[in-house]
Amino acid sequence: MSSRSGSKREYETSDQSTGHSASPPVPESSETEAGGLIFYHMDLYGSKERFDIFPEELSGQGERSLGDTRRESALSSEKFQHSQEAGYDLEKEVAELAKMYGLDEDREKELELLGGHLEVAESRWPPARTEKARSRDQSQSTKLQGLPGEASQDEDESKARAEDEAESPIRSGEGLSSSGISDEWNSQAVSEEEESGDVFCSTCKMPIRAFDKLFGEHKDHEVTKLPSAMESEKEEIHKNMCKLEEQIAQMENFASHLEEIFITVEENFGRQEENFEVHYNDAVQALAQKYEEQLEALGEEKRQKLEALYGQLVSCGEHLDTCKRLTDTTQELYLENDKANFMKAAITMVDRLEEFLKKEVDLELSTVPDFKERVIDFSEVEQLMNSINIIPAPCAPVINPQAPSAATGTSLRVCWSLFSDDTVECYQLCYKPVNNERRSDEQAAPSPPIIKSKKIRSCENAALVCWESGDINPVDSYTVELSKLTDEGNGDIITESIVGIPNCEVLIHLQPTQSYHICVRALNVGGSSERSDPAVIHTTGTYFCLNEDTAHPLLAILDDGFTINLLEHTLLSVSHRCIGILGSLIPFPGKHYWEVEVEEDTEYRIGVAFENTPRHGYLGANNSSWCMRHIITPSRHKYEFLHSGMTPDIRITLPPRRIGILLDYENCRLSLFNADIAQHLYTFNSHFQHYVHPCFALETPGMLRIRIGIAVPPWTALP
Amino acid sequence: MALKQVSSNRCFEGFQKVFEHDSAELKCKMKFGIYLPPKAETGKCPVLYWLSGLTCTEQNFITKAGFQQAAAEHGLIVVAPDTSPRGCNIEGEDESWDFGTGAGFYVDATEEPWKTNYRMYSYIKDELPKLINANFPTDPERMSIFGHSMGGHGALILALKNPGKYKSVSAFAPICNPIQCQWGKKALGGYLGSDVSKWEAYDATQLVKSYAGSPLDILIDQGKDDQFLSAGQLLPDNFIAACTEQKVPVVFRLQQGYDHSYFFIATFINDHIKHHAKYLNA
């Protein structure tokens, strides 16, 4: 097989005689190769030429050797011979079309291919062509589909004219160049028409003239009408074309797949190489380590031996010294002339000598010169070597940081990710509880936070809890633990926990008419704090607290936190001042109800206000506050329902002692009631664009007691 | 008692009907309007009685007040009787618009020639409820009453004289203190004679002063631009003072810019219906 991509032009010129253009792959020589088999050129990266096969085949008609080619069984060589005889002008037709539609090379080939197969079946070329052209004009997009249709059209036509006209000429050996040689061919085509037959002999597999059937050698043979024979042949060829196309597609896929495999092989190689290197390094390191260890031990041993020997040597030396001294002394003694002195000294000497000689002389070596046998332990290394697997051990997975709400009191959801390169059979999860032991070099876990119980705001469906940090240790996040209190008193079972809270407050959704215990923990790198002291939340009504920061200086808040008192004071000489306080914001949608108990002679303003209401103003005198006002005139109680400084004229005969306030965000209402007799007093209809604060003010000395946590009474339902 | 349907109109998925009957109390044919809410088709409903004012018939309220929507919503039957006996041919009955025909004042007359026919108090208190309960799907235990002007006066006195009978009472621009105003003096004098002590039994302000019955919750709307208010015919302040004294709960609303007409009634009728519904549907 020869690879000739990019050498089209060469072939164009060289193959002119055989009518090739732009059909590089198969030179004539290859046609005589391998018993005439022409190999399909398998070019991975430029398979444009593959369609050449057919035109090649067809256009190589000049050579009868084409008949020997065995591409597909259906494409019988005889057919081509016949087609040649029939005078098909395939190339010419396609060239014309190509010219007409400005197709590129590939399309040309395709057309050749299909045109070719049609041509085989067709009998009438020139009229067919014009028809084709016409219908192509009409619907270019369906050109290819159109061809079979057209073919049949043509066939009909051709049937009509079968007798009279010759089949369309095919120019043998015509090239695909779009030069205008069609005229030349046309004339040639005409001349060939006369030779065509009009009946097909199935026995001999050749078209013959009807005349021949009756009177010639084909007398007894099977014949079929040429058109129908054409039809069936056409079908067969078409089928085979399709199969070929399939094959083409398959091979293409396979080729690209192989490419991928190439890359994968490289990758795998790379990984294995790395793997080996790592193992090798490990092994070498282990060896080196062992070697050093042993060497050190050896050295140590030597030192010890030498020390011992040296010690011995020293003691020997000492001993020698002593001996020497004694010898010297004894010798001196002998030189003594005085006999009495000699005797004295001699006796002492003898004693000394005796004593000295009593001492044992250790002539044993304290240590052996030989060293211990040492062997480098290869077992570990062997182990390492043996542990080289095809599959490398996976890298450590990375545990994702804990997501919020991933934990309850008794369970935890852990997520981790792994490296995509790794092959993993299974995971092993290990855990241990972390305690808060203070380690000097680690960050201390925080102390438990302190819930601001008094500041909890809640309603039937939600609660807003805030707390403060227990100490100065840094805190990364807070965890809130909730347990619903039921009759069984299971205040310790945590029913819900919210993790990952960044600030010191949280809004929790709750169920109505329940009680809850809530605790908070603080978390940092050092761990989690102990649980804070629990706070209780009842979802039986709306709870808020009085915001001391907003209190007028002359107003006193009594111990329970919900009674405000204004005492006699010289500064109150100006009548009708508005000395008030705001409650905390009620940030929950829906209905909220609370009550205020008043004395009969208390002059007050009770209502709601936006956060930005002017603190030094009068409640109800602006459009950011609404209130009910009670003042006492000499003749009677006077009630006003103030907003934007305006009030309706309303008389109330029974001064309410317990005022019910219904705040209905949903229905845009603020209603006031005499709660003792369930009497509706007045309703403000106002679309509250923001959440509001309850507000309470006294105009003269007196006291207001606020009651919260009351469920919305049914008689407040203004239908 | 045979009821004859005079008219029937579908309204807010219920029916606004007018019936006629022979009244034993008033000894003449009487008409009344009745609104039956959609709920009445399937169950018993509470009844709300409306008493109209001077010169009205059973038609004014049912055509002008626009109450049917709220009544339908709250499932209340609303009965609107006529304001006096008609066609009795009593001499002088048509002489003035504020006495006689169309001005029954919801009293039981004791003076001739009125005493035979002019028994609106008893008609409203006994005969009419009995008739309604017998012929319509009502809950006899749940009844409330309200009215306008003379009808407001009627509603107040009926409620005050019959504690516990009515679950709630309300009024539009009622004549609160008839013994003190011109209208009242004329009518009460005409129907009851000159003994003022007999009038007191039909004066809301007076009745409140000695009221010791079951708790009431009274809603009163009064147009500030009501000509009769300024004319001193209505005298709500007296009533309020008396109620304050007696600790009878009243919410009295003085409505800026409103007059005595049905336009005023139509504006606030929903509030009144809701007020009654709160007690009737409780």
Side-chain angles (χ1 to χ4, degrees), chain A residues 601-671:
Chain A
D601 54 357
T602 315
E603 291 190 338
Y604 52 80
R605 292 189 198 225
I606 295 170
V608 299
F610 288 143
E611 182 121 29
N612 59 0
T613 194
R615 302 290 169 82
H616 299 294
Y618 288 80
L619 281 174
N622 45 52
N623 64 0
S624 57
S625 58
W626 295 256
C627 72
M628 168 180 171
R629 182 184 183 218
H630 168 241
I631 51 173
I632 302 174
T633 66
S635 56
R636 59 185 178 94
H637 293 266
K638 189 161 178 222
Y639 293 91
E640 294 178 353
F641 296 88
L642 291 160
H643 175 62
S644 303
M646 306 219 301
T647 176
D649 193 331
I650 295 188
R651 315 277 170 86
I652 296 173
T653 57
L654 197 62
R657 298 293 292 276
R658 189 156 60 101
I659 299 159
I661 299 124
L662 178 71
L663 171 64
D664 190 343
Y665 283 123
E666 218 174 287
N667 295 312
C668 306
R669 291 203 282 239
L670 177 73
S671 300

Side-chain angles (χ1 to χ4, degrees), chain B residues 15-54:
Chain B
F15 289 94
Q16 180 61 65
K17 292 176 187 263
V18 176
F19 287 90
E20 191 181 53
H21 72 111
D22 279 315
S23 166
E25 205 69 65
L26 306 173
K27 303 212 177 21
C28 64
K29 282 197 184 333
M30 283 295 280
K31 288 201 201 133
F32 62 87
I34 181 164
Y35 177 73
L36 296 159
K39 192 170 153 223
E41 280 172 45
T42 52
K44 291 190 187 294
C45 298
V47 186
L48 184 54
Y49 288 91
W50 167 267
L51 302 180
S52 293
L54 290 164

Side-chain angles (χ1 to χ4, degrees), chain B residues 108-127:
Chain B
D108 284 341
T110 52
E111 293 288 298
E112 288 290 356
W114 313 104
K115 67 186 223 206
T116 314
N117 303 94
Y118 277 73
R119 295 184 57 77
M120 286 301 289
Y121 178 78
S122 296
Y123 175 69
I124 302 292
K125 173 173 168 263
D126 296 320
E127 185 179 3

Side-chain angles (χ1 to χ4, degrees), chain B residues 1-268:
Chain B
M1 283 159 277
L3 276 182
K4 185 177 108 181
Q5 185 171 298
V6 172
S7 70
S8 173
N9 299 85
R10 196 128 163 88
C11 185
F12 286 101
E13 304 306 308
F15 289 94
Q16 180 61 65
K17 292 176 187 263
V18 176
F19 287 90
E20 191 181 53
H21 72 111
D22 279 315
S23 166
E25 205 69 65
L26 306 173
K27 303 212 177 21
C28 64
K29 282 197 184 333
M30 283 295 280
K31 288 201 201 133
F32 62 87
I34 181 164
Y35 177 73
L36 296 159
K39 192 170 153 223
E41 280 172 45
T42 52
K44 291 190 187 294
C45 298
V47 186
L48 184 54
Y49 288 91
W50 167 267
L51 302 180
S52 293
L54 290 164
T55 77
C56 291
T57 66
E58 82 289 350
Q59 287 293 315
N60 306 68
F61 181 65
I62 66 177
T63 53
K64 291 189 184 183
F67 68 91
Q68 286 88 349
Q69 183 170 17
E73 198 183 308
H74 297 296
L76 302 178
I77 293 174
V78 182
V79 177
D82 203 343
T83 48
S84 73
R86 295 208 186 244
C88 301
N89 287 318
I90 300 169
E91 198 176 323
E93 67 181 0
D94 291 325
E95 252 173 42
S96 39
W97 62 273
D98 55 359
F99 183 77
T101 304
F105 264 86
Y106 304 102
V107 299
D108 284 341
T110 52
E111 293 288 298
E112 288 290 356
W114 313 104
K115 67 186 223 206
T116 314
N117 303 94
Y118 277 73
R119 295 184 57 77
M120 286 301 289
Y121 178 78
S122 296
Y123 175 69
I124 302 292
K125 173 173 168 263
D126 296 320
E127 185 179 3
L128 189 60
K130 209 155 136 192
L131 182 72
I132 299 291
N133 291 339
N135 289 282
F136 299 98
T138 64
D139 182 350
E141 300 299 306
R142 291 163 181 249
M143 223 167 23
S144 286
I145 191 161
F146 66 152
H148 167 240
S149 187
M150 175 184 76
H153 144 82
L156 287 171
I157 62 171
L158 273 148
L160 290 166
K161 282 160 82 77
N162 300 284
K165 185 179 173 82
Y166 301 101
K167 295 267 180 273
S168 50
V169 57
S170 72
F172 290 84
I175 301 171
C176 297
N177 202 192
I179 62 180
Q180 302 271 20
C181 73
Q182 227 183 339
W183 276 338
K185 287 177 185 164
K186 177 172 177 181
L188 296 178
Y191 297 126
L192 304 171
S194 47
D195 185 359
V196 176
S197 60
K198 297 227 178 89
W199 301 359
E200 286 173 5
Y202 295 102
D203 181 307
T205 305
Q206 284 301 113
L207 288 165
V208 159
K209 284 180 183 164
S210 52
Y211 182 77
S214 49
L216 287 171
D217 185 355
I218 305 173
L219 174 65
I220 300 175
D221 269 311
Q222 174 65 57
K224 197 155 177 210
D225 288 0
D226 188 334
Q227 57 192 173
F228 302 110
L229 177 68
S230 38
Q233 296 277 27
L234 304 176
L235 305 169
D237 290 337
N238 297 351
F239 182 69
I240 288 166
C243 285
T244 307
E245 183 81 34
Q246 274 300 109
K247 305 206 189 306
V248 172
V250 173
V251 173
F252 174 84
R253 314 193 299 186
L254 198 63
Q255 303 289 6
Q256 184 81 24
Y258 288 91
D259 58 13
H260 201 72
S261 69
Y262 266 89
F263 296 108
F264 159 64
I265 294 170
T267 307
F268 300 102

Side-chain angles (χ1 to χ4, degrees), chain A residues 282-484:
Chain A
D282 283 344
V284 165
Q285 236 183 1
L287 262 177
Q289 203 183 5
K290 287 276 175 259
Y291 164 73
E292 286 198 22
E293 268 174 26
Q294 293 291 7
L295 208 60
E296 206 180 296
L298 202 64
E300 182 64 36
E301 208 181 327
K302 174 183 101 175
R303 236 194 333 276
Q304 280 174 357
K305 285 190 197 291
L306 287 178
E307 256 181 56
L309 286 171
Y310 184 71
Q312 273 202 321
L313 194 67
V314 165
S315 62
C316 268
E318 283 174 14
H319 197 95
L320 270 172
D321 279 339
T322 320
C323 283
K324 255 219 149 128
R325 265 202 307 275
L326 280 173
T327 317
D328 286 341
T329 320
T330 313
Q331 282 184 346
E332 275 180 37
L333 191 65
Y334 280 133
L335 298 171
E336 183 66 59
N337 292 325
D338 187 29
K339 292 197 179 81
N341 287 347
F342 173 77
M343 280 314 292
K344 261 197 270 178
I347 293 166
T348 323
M349 202 63 221
V350 169
D351 284 339
R352 267 175 76 190
L353 278 171
E354 260 183 41
E355 221 175 291
F356 184 69
L357 288 170
K358 263 192 226 157
K359 263 198 252 168
E360 273 183 45
V361 177
D362 185 9
L363 291 173
E364 294 277 331
L365 274 179
S366 61
T367 156
V368 290
D370 300 314
F371 280 87
K372 229 170 39 187
E373 278 282 329
R374 291 184 190 273
V375 174
I376 295 183
D377 185 7
F378 284 106
S379 59
E380 207 178 295
V381 178
E382 267 175 49
Q383 215 178 26
L384 274 175
M385 299 300 288
N386 289 338
S387 74
I388 296 179
N389 291 326
I390 306 296
I391 300 172
C395 307
V398 175
I399 296 187
N400 294 349
Q402 185 173 9
S405 301
T408 69
T410 52
S411 71
L412 183 66
R413 184 148 174 253
V414 184
C415 303
W416 60 85
S417 43
L418 65 148
F419 293 103
S420 59
D421 282 358
D422 288 339
T423 316
V424 175
E425 264 178 24
C426 63
Y427 294 97
Q428 232 183 28
L429 181 69
C430 308
Y431 65 94
K432 74 166 198 270
V434 174
N435 57 19
N436 288 337
E437 268 174 28
R438 205 192 176 100
R439 289 195 240 176
S440 57
D441 56 343
E442 277 192 19
Q443 175 142 55
S447 305
I450 302 162
I451 296 179
K452 296 182 186 170
S453 307
K454 297 242 154 71
K455 300 263 167 81
I456 293 178
R457 284 175 260 160
S458 65
C459 70
E460 285 184 345
N461 299 299
L464 187 62
V465 185
C466 53
W467 54 85
E468 55 195 15
S469 176
D471 58 16
I472 53 161
N473 276 335
V475 173
D476 288 337
S477 71
Y478 294 95
T479 299
V480 163
E481 288 167 359
L482 209 55
S483 47
K484 194 190 283 193

Side-chain angles (χ1 to χ4, degrees), chain A residues 673 678 711-719, chain B residues 278:
Chain A
F673 299 87
V712 176
W715 44 261
T716 60
L718 292 180
Chain B
K278 177 170 145 183

